[in-house]
Amino acid sequence: ARIRAGAVALAVLVLAQIYLGALVAGLRAGLIFNTWPLIDDAVIPSPARLFFEQPVWRNFFENTLMVQFEHRMAAYLLWAVSVWHAIDAWRANAGPAARAAVVLALAKQLAWLGLAAAGRLRLPVPGAAIAYYYLLVTAATLAGLVRTLRGDVPAVWEKRR
């Protein structure tokens, strides 16, 4: 049950990241704040720059710096939860199908981190489209993981057991 809850949490985080990516794209925040790992010359921008809109809640949706910062922090959280989930599933001896799906999900997260670092997050429109495609594939992988953990193992996996 714990492993399945972790997989569901990962799926929710991926969907949240897709939403935040849409905000970044809509505001063109990725073109304005396109350096990594620093954003606005700091790892964590000053609160005065993050929360200058009034009312304060508008900063989370309309402030380009805040939206880009949210997107990056969500990416770091997603990566950390992916690593935690992979280690947890491996230690729990969740079975070969679940282990394979968890390792695949972790490998995708590590690949994405490498792509982001290599590209220094300067993604033009085609690059952003690749990012959305990647996240949708990751969401599908996580949906398969949740299904596998629920016990709905595809026939292909049954034959290998």
Side-chain angles (χ1 to χ4, degrees):
R2 184 182 75 237
I3 305 300
R4 186 169 61 192
V8 170
L10 275 174
V12 169
L13 282 172
V14 166
L15 293 175
Q17 185 67 341
I18 291 170
Y19 170 75
L20 290 171
L23 286 178
V24 168
L27 293 172
R28 300 183 188 274
L31 298 174
I32 298 167
F33 299 102
N34 56 12
T35 58
W36 185 78
L38 301 180
I39 180 171
D40 200 33
D41 296 324
V43 174
I44 299 175
S46 72
R49 300 257 303 135
L50 290 173
F51 297 103
F52 70 87
E53 296 266 356
Q54 293 299 325
V56 173
W57 64 266
R58 289 181 57 192
N59 288 288
F60 295 97
F61 305 99
E62 298 177 11
N63 177 344
T64 55
L65 178 60
M66 174 61 99
V67 168
Q68 179 71 352
F69 181 68
E70 292 168 346
H71 187 58
R72 288 191 189 180
M73 293 302 111
Y76 298 146
L77 177 64
L78 183 58
W79 182 84
V81 172
S82 294
V83 171
W84 167 80
H85 182 63
I87 292 169
D88 191 37
W90 199 266
R91 287 185 179 166
N93 199 12
R99 279 184 169 185
V102 167
V103 169
L104 178 62
L106 177 61
K108 287 182 178 183
Q109 292 305 325
L110 293 174
W112 179 246
L113 184 64
L115 281 172
R120 298 179 54 93
L121 298 176
R122 297 184 78 165
L123 297 176
V125 173
I130 291 169
Y132 288 122
Y133 172 76
Y134 166 82
L135 283 171
L136 289 174
V137 169
T138 300
T141 302
L142 290 171
L145 173 61
V146 170
R147 181 178 170 204
T148 300
L149 292 172
R150 200 174 56 212
D152 298 337
V153 180
V156 173
W157 287 102
E158 287 294 333
K159 291 177 184 175
R160 293 183 182 177
R161 286 185 177 179

